[in-house]
Each structure stands twice: as structure tokens, then as C-alpha cells.
Amino acid sequence: MTLYLRHYWKDERLVFPSTSNKSMTFDGRLVKKIWVPDVFFVHSKRSFIHDTTTDNIMLRVFPDGQVLYSLRITVTAMCNMDFSHFPLDSQTCSLELESYAYTDEDLMLYWKNGDESLKTDEKISLSQFLIQKFHTTSRLAFYSSTGWYNRLYINFTLRRHIFFFLLQTYFPATLMVMLSWVSFWIDHRAVPARVSLGITTVLTMSTIITGVNASMPRVSYIKAVDIYLWVSFVFVFLSVLEYAAVNYLTTVLERKPQEKFPCMCGMLHSRTMMLGGSCSESEANSLAGYPRSHILTEEERQDKIVAHLALSSESNSSRKKGLLKGQVGLRIFQNTHAIDKYSRLIFPASYIFFNLIYWSVFA
């Protein structure tokens, strides 16, 4: 930040009688000839006094010895931030001032007007943060080797602007999750369409996660944006697994041999035939255990065939009932259209529920 740092103190050695001048103003050249506080910025990474076109230093002395010492300084200071709620976070940063050489027994530092000592431009703004409030505090700082020092604090409460991250992170991630649901409405036989859609959404989510982490400090804890992106990634990945399950079950059902029902045309030997099949005259005689040379009368042959086919029909009915009972519990898994149908409801409902919990906790 760039600021005007103004010091006020009284030095009786600078008292001068005057009837016309209310004060005397000097530039930085006189500062080296009088005593001034040795204030510095604690935890400052870099700071400097502006010197264009000359040193931005002003010294004003009043007749009663009151001194105003003003500097124009730019400071780059450290701020400890917690990114666990990023980008829905609020940060508190402090700028700390302290005397470098004089302990609290030699020099007392305090804010002249409390919080009113801080004045900012109403139009000031930051690209990522909104300055919610700022206040001043003061306390003692202890150094084991030198003693106690007065320290002044300027505390800023900053709230991060969320709109940028909504456009760059949350909105694209939500669109990718919704795009992955489109595969539930595509025919399961359209393998290239559904596979390419799933792979595209997975790769896009990976790109979004990589881009967000590349612009962030490498912290060892989970951020709020990580939770949202990784849960979205899981939803996209599950949609790919859903089609893998649908395709697998479809393949299993297609490879499953068709059910055959026996046509018992004889008592001694048995052969199978497709439902709706028929037995020829020679087959009926041979299956019944009669040689081709033995010719039955028309009445006897019809009686035997009808009797044996009736027994076979009863056996087939009992087997079909058992198969239907066993297939009731697997109906959803065998019907691939049912899996897509339920996914169309479960996936959006789960994602909406996750968003309600996420925004109620972190917003």
C-alpha cells in the first residue's frame, strides 16, 4: 500500500517566538539535523520513500514546539492468510509500526485520534478484495534481548470478490457436470457418442482443477474450491462409469444363449427344440423308441405324441415360473434403459443437494 505516514510530537528545543508565522515548513534536508522517531514497519518485505521529483518529506514546526513530520511511503507487507474457505473467504491483514531502537521506557507510540487517525480515499478499490472495515490497536511487543516496545496496528478486514471465480471456476464446472448428464438421454448403442462425451467432460474438469491450483499457493490443506471441483469431478467420472455398467450389462444380455424348452417326443430318449418348433413323423417315431421299420397306426402315433407333448408343456411352465421369480430382483440391472432412467433423476438431485449444503456452509 501507498500511504502518508504523519508523526506528531513536541520538542521544546524547537520553540521559537513568532507573532506573524503560525508555523514554519521545511523539506527533508532539515530532518537530518533534528531528532525524529525511528519508526519502521514490522514484517515488511519492501518499503521505500518516494523521491520524485524530490524526497516526499515534509517537516512543519509550530512556535510552541509542536512538530508534524510527514512521509509518503509505499509498503509491501506480509499478511498471514487462511485459504480453507477460498474463494469465499475473508482475510484480516495488519500493518504494524514500531520504534526500532527506543523501548517503551524511552518512547511511547499511540494513535492520535484512535480509528479516526486512519483516513482512506472513498474510491479506493482492489481487484480481488473489498475493504469491509479497518481499525487501530496498540500493544506491547517483547524481545528477549532488548525488552518491551510499543507497537501500533492497522487492521484491515478484506472480503474476496466472488464474481470472478463464479465466472472462471464454478460456472464452467457446473456446466461440465450438467453436460455429462446428456449421455443419459443418448441411446446406449451409440458407443462413440457417449464415450467421447464422457472423456471430454473428464478432461475439461481436469483442466479446470489444474488451472485453479496453478494460480494458488501450494498449501497443505483442502480449500473450499477444491471440495467443489473434486466433487464435480466425481459426478462427471460417475457418469462415465454409469455408461460402462450399461454397456457391460447390455453385452452380457446379448451374449446370453436363448432359453430352450424341451420337446419330449418320446419316453426313452429326449431332444430339445425351440419353442414353437415341430416334430416330423420320422422323428416322432425314432424319439419314441420305435425303429423306422416299425410303423404305428395313425391313432396310436397321435396318442403318444399328444401325451408326451402335454408332459413337456407342464415341465416348461414350471421352469418358466422359476426363472421369472429369479429375475425380479435383477430387473433394473438387466434393463439398461432403466439404469439411464434412474440416473436422470439421481444424478441431478444429488448434485443439487450437494450445492445446497456447500453454499450454506461456505457462503
Side-chain angles (χ1 to χ4, degrees), residues 170-232:
Y170 287 96
F171 189 61
T174 304
L175 284 182
M176 287 300 104
V177 175
M178 297 174 65
L179 183 61
S180 67
W181 300 338
V182 175
S183 63
F184 303 149
W185 276 266
I186 301 177
D187 189 358
H188 65 277
R189 291 170 294 185
V191 177
R194 295 190 66 164
V195 171
S196 60
L197 180 61
I199 297 301
T200 301
T201 52
V202 168
L203 293 179
T204 305
M205 283 301 305
S206 301
T207 303
I208 294 174
I209 294 174
T210 303
V212 172
N213 291 331
S215 60
M216 286 292 299
R218 291 175 175 83
V219 295
S220 59
Y221 49 85
I222 298 177
K223 304 180 291 292
V225 68
D226 293 336
I227 296 176
Y228 193 90
L229 291 179
W230 279 106
V231 171
S232 299

Side-chain angles (χ1 to χ4, degrees), residues 73-92:
I73 305 175
T74 294
V75 182
T76 302
M78 181 184 67
C79 179
N80 292 321
M81 293 187 175
D82 181 14
F83 292 106
S84 58
H85 284 67
F86 176 88
L88 307 171
D89 56 334
S90 295
Q91 305 292 342
T92 300

Side-chain angles (χ1 to χ4, degrees), residues 230-249:
W230 279 106
V231 171
S232 299
F233 182 84
V234 169
F235 271 91
V236 172
F237 187 72
L238 288 178
S239 66
V240 178
L241 293 183
E242 185 269 349
Y243 176 63
V246 169
N247 189 56
Y248 173 76
L249 293 175

